[in-house]
C-alpha cells in the first residue's frame, strides 16, 4: 500500500486539530509553527542585511575609486602615455587615466586644525570615466580643479575635521622636503577649498582630498611622470585578472592593484561573519524544528486508541507512519512558508523600519564611523531564501521520523487494554 495514500493525509491533517478533550495539543502545534517561522524570519533578515551591507560597500567603493591601478616600480610611471595606449588597446578596458597620489598633512589656516589625508591629483574631464566623485559633490564643482588654480576638493567629514568651508584655505604639507642651510624643510603649498563631496563611505569622506593633476605633479615635482594609471574595465569583478593582462602587455616590472585587493580583509570578514551567523541562526531554527518532536509525541500518546483501531481495521505500520509524517511535514511546511513570506517582507522594508525606530527613539543604530555606512540596507537573494527554506524544512522532516516510527510500532492489544 502506498505510504501516503489519501486517508493518511486526511487523518494526519485531522490530528493537527485536537478534539474538544485536549485543545492543548493544537496550541502546541501553533507554537511549533510560530517558532519555526520566527527562526526563518530571523535567518532571512540577517542574511539579507549582510548581503545589502556587502553590496552597498562595494557600490560606494567603486563610486570613489577605479577598478584597478597600474604603477611603476619606483613609485612613478615615466612612460605613462605608452602604457595608457597599450591599456586602451585591450578590448575589456573602458578607461585608463593618469593620476598622482600620496599621503599629505592638511592644516587649516583659520583654526590651525590638522588632519592626515590621501591627496589625489585628477583630471576633472576624465574623472567621470573611472569614478563617480563628480556625482557626489555636495558643494562646488569638480570642474573647478583646473591646472594652476591650486584649488582643492575635500570629503565632507574631512572638511568638518579641519573646520573649513568653501572659500577657506588649507596648507598641504608633504613628506618630501627641500634642503636648506638650516636643514630639510617639508614642502608645503596653500590651497583654496573649492568644493566638498560626500561619497557615503566614511573612509573616503574623511580621508580623501582632490586637486588638479598638473598641480599635484608640480607639488611632488614629477615633471611629465605620473604615479600610475587608474583603469576601469567592462566588468569590475574581473578586475583582478584583467589588470594582470594589461600589465603583461605593457611589459615587466609593473605593480598592479585592484579594488578587491585593497579591501580584501574587509570582504573576507563579511563572508566569514555571514557564514557564522547562518550557523548560529540555523541552531535557532533547529530548536524550533525539534519542537515538532514533542508535539508529535503528545499526539501519539493521545491517539493511542485511534492508532490501535486503525491497525485492527487493516492499516499497516507504513500507513501509521505516513499519518504522523504528514503532520510533521505540514507543520514544517506551514512554518517555513510563513517564515519565508514574512522574512522577505521584513527584509524589503527593513531600512524604512530602522529609520522609523531611529526617529522614535532619537538614536542611531548604525554609526558611519564604525560601519562605514549610515544606513542598514537589505538585499534579498533567491539563493539564500531557498537555502534557508530547504534547511528549515529538512530539519522538520527529520524531526518527524522518531515520533512517527514509535506510533507505527504501537501494538493494538496493549493500546486497547485499558479502554
Amino acid at each position: 500500500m502506498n505510504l501516503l495514500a489519501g486517508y493518511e493525509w486526511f487523518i494526519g491533517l485531522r490530528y493537527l486539530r485536537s478534539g474538544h478533550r485536549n485543545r492543548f495539543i493544537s496550541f502546541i502545534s501553533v507554537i511549533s509553527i510560530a517558532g519555526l517561522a520566527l527562526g526563518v524570519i530571523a535567518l532571512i533578515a540577517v542574511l539579507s542585511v549582510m548581503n545589502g551591507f556587502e553590496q552597498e560597500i562595494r557600490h560606494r567603493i567603486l563610486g570613489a575609486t577605479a577598478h584597478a591601478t597600474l604603477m611603476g616600480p619606483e613609485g612613478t610611471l615615466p612612460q605613462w602615455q605608452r602604457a595608457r595606449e597599450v591599456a586602451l588597446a585591450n578590448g575589456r578596458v573602458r578607461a585608463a587615466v593618469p593620476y598622482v597620489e600620496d599621503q599629505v598633512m592638511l592644516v587649516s589656516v583659520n583654526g590651525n586644525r590638522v588632519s592626515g589625508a590621501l591627496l589625489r591629483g585628477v583630471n576633472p574631464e576624465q574623472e567621470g570615466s573611472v569614478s563617480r566623485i563628480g556625482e557626489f559633490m555636495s558643494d562646488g564643482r569638480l570642474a573647478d580643479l583646473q591646472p594652476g588654480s591650486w584649488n582643492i576638493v575635500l570629503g565632507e567629514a574631512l572638511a568638518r575635521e579641519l573646520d573649513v568651508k568653501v572659500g577657506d584655505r588649507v596648507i598641504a604639507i608633504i613628506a618630501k622636503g627641500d634642503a636648506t642651510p638650516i636643514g630639510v624643510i617639508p614642502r608645503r603649498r596653500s590651497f583654496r577649498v573649492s568644493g566638498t563631496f560626500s561619497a557615503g563611505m566614511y573612509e573616503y569622506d574623511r580621508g580623501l582630498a582632490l586637486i588638479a593633476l598638473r598641480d599635484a605633479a608640480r607639488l611632488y615635482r614629477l615633471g611629465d611622470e605620473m604615479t600610475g594609471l587608474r583603469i576601469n574595465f567592462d566588468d569590475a569583478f574581473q578586475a583582478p585578472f584583467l589588470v594582470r593582462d594589461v600589465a603583461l602587455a605593457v611589459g615587466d616590472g609593473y605593480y598592479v592593484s585592484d579594488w578587491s585587493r585593497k579591501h580584501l580583509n574587509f570582504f573576507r570578514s563579511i563572508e566569514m561573519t555571514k557564514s557564522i551567523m547562518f550557523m548560529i541562526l540555523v541552531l535557532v531554527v533547529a530548536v524550533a524544528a525539534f519542537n515538532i518532536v514533542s508535539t508529535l509525541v503528545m499526539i501519539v500518546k493521545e491517539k493511542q486508541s485511534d492508532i490501535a483501531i486503525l491497525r485492527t481495521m487493516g492499516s499497516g505500520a507504513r500507513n501509521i507512519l505516513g499519518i504522523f509524517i504528514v503532520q510533521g511535514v505540514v507543520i514544517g511546511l506551514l512554518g517555513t512558508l510563513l517564515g519565508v513570506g514574512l522574512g522577505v517582507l521584513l527584509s524589503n522594508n527593513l531600512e524604512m523600519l530602522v529609520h522609523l525606530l531611529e526617529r522614535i527613539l532619537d538614536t542611531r543604530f548604525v554609526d558611519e564611523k564604525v560601519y562605514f555606512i549610515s544606513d542598514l540596507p537589505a538585499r534579498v537573494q533567491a539563493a539564500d531564501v531557498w537555502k534557508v527554506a530547504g534547511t528549515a524544512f529538512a530539519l522538520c522532516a527529520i524531526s518527524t521520523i522518531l515520533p512517527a516510527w514509535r506510533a507505527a510500532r504501537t501494538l493494538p492489544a496493549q493500546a486497547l487494554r485499558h479502554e
Side-chain angles (χ1 to χ4, degrees):
M1 186 178 294
N2 187 2
L3 177 63
L4 296 180
Y7 79 92
E8 281 94 334
W9 280 98
F10 175 76
I11 297 175
L13 294 175
R14 184 180 178 86
Y15 278 179
L16 284 176
R17 303 186 304 273
S18 183
H20 293 285
R21 292 181 299 170
N22 192 355
R23 293 189 179 276
F24 181 70
I25 295 178
S26 296
F27 175 73
I28 293 298
S29 300
V30 173
I31 292 298
S32 298
I33 294 173
L36 180 62
L38 286 175
V40 172
I41 291 171
L43 193 47
I44 291 177
V46 168
L47 293 180
S48 298
V49 169
M50 297 299 294
N51 292 333
F53 183 75
E54 181 179 10
Q55 184 187 43
E56 188 67 19
I57 290 294
R58 185 187 298 117
H59 179 74
R60 295 187 182 189
I61 288 174
L62 293 176
T65 188
H67 295 169
T69 56
L70 176 70
M71 298 161 286
E74 302 298 330
T76 59
L77 194 63
Q79 299 180 348
W80 64 268
Q81 295 91 340
R82 186 187 71 83
R84 182 169 183 265
E85 292 176 0
V86 173
L88 292 175
N90 188 312
R92 304 294 300 274
V93 175
R94 293 195 307 183
V97 300
Y99 76 102
V100 173
E101 189 174 272
D102 205 347
Q103 295 293 328
V104 69
M105 184 70 72
L106 297 177
V107 182
S108 62
V109 175
N110 298 334
N112 292 326
R113 303 186 69 171
V114 181
S115 179
L118 183 67
L119 186 65
R120 180 185 297 167
V122 300
N123 187 331
E125 288 75 20
Q126 297 177 333
E127 185 64 19
S129 62
V130 290
S131 78
R132 300 197 309 277
I133 290 291
E135 302 174 14
F136 300 150
M137 295 296 296
S138 53
D139 200 356
R141 301 181 308 156
L142 192 64
D144 292 335
L145 299 181
Q146 296 299 321
S149 65
W150 299 104
N151 287 334
I152 189 170
V153 171
L154 305 176
E156 275 194 352
L158 180 59
R160 288 196 300 268
E161 180 67 22
L162 293 171
D163 192 23
V164 296
K165 58 184 182 297
V166 173
D168 293 339
R169 304 196 73 83
V170 296
I171 297 175
I173 304 175
I174 65 176
K176 297 179 180 180
D178 295 322
T180 67
I182 61 174
V184 178
I185 298 177
R187 199 175 303 160
R188 62 180 64 193
R189 178 73 197 194
S190 176
F191 289 88
R192 173 184 171 274
V193 179
S194 63
T196 58
F197 68 87
S198 176
M201 188 169 178
Y202 189 73
E203 177 182 352
Y204 297 113
D205 292 342
R206 174 62 178 79
L208 181 62
L210 305 176
I211 63 176
L213 182 63
R214 286 300 169 189
D215 289 350
R218 289 176 60 188
L219 179 65
Y220 289 101
R221 298 182 182 176
L222 298 180
D224 293 331
E225 298 180 1
M226 296 290 156
T227 300
L229 294 177
R230 299 166 66 205
I231 305 172
N232 266 21
F233 301 96
D234 56 3
D235 186 355
F237 297 100
Q238 295 296 317
F241 311 102
L242 296 176
V243 70
R244 294 174 187 171
D245 296 338
V246 171
L248 291 174
V250 174
D252 296 330
Y254 291 92
Y255 292 128
V256 296
S257 184
D258 63 86
W259 67 273
S260 63
R261 182 179 301 178
K262 291 179 180 178
H263 302 85
L264 181 62
N265 292 333
F266 181 74
F267 286 109
R268 280 183 176 174
S269 67
I270 292 179
E271 288 299 322
M272 184 179 297
T273 303
K274 184 178 176 182
S275 299
I276 293 173
M277 292 302 298
F278 179 80
M279 295 303 300
I280 292 174
L281 292 176
V282 161
L283 295 178
V284 177
V285 175
V287 171
F290 288 130
N291 282 337
I292 297 174
V293 174
S294 60
T295 302
L296 293 184
V297 167
M298 294 179 67
I299 294 176
V300 169
K301 189 67 175 176
E302 184 194 24
K303 303 299 183 182
Q304 286 283 330
S305 58
D306 292 0
I307 296 171
I309 292 172
L310 288 172
R311 292 297 301 273
T312 58
M313 294 178 63
S315 295
R318 294 181 62 186
N319 301 114
I320 303 301
L321 184 70
I323 289 172
F324 289 95
I325 285 179
V326 164
Q327 295 180 65
V329 166
V330 169
I331 291 175
L333 187 61
L334 290 177
T336 301
L337 291 178
L338 182 62
V340 167
L342 294 178
V344 171
L345 181 64
L346 174 65
S347 299
N348 288 333
N349 296 277
L350 188 61
E351 191 170 355
M352 179 187 67
L353 294 175
V354 169
H355 288 166
L356 179 62
L357 285 176
E358 287 180 341
R359 288 196 296 269
I360 294 175
L361 302 177
D362 192 23
T363 186
R364 290 195 66 83
F365 296 135
V366 183
D367 188 347
E368 63 181 5
K369 296 182 180 180
V370 179
Y371 300 104
F372 300 99
I373 60 177
S374 57
D375 295 322
L376 189 64
R379 180 173 180 261
V380 180
Q381 291 186 349
D384 288 336
V385 174
W386 281 109
K387 182 168 66 173
V388 171
T391 302
F393 186 73
L395 290 172
C396 293
I398 292 172
S399 66
T400 65
I401 294 176
L402 180 60
W405 178 71
R406 291 188 60 184
R409 293 184 61 197
T410 300
L411 298 176
Q414 293 182 358
L416 295 173
R417 180 179 300 171
H418 303 290
E419 292 294 328

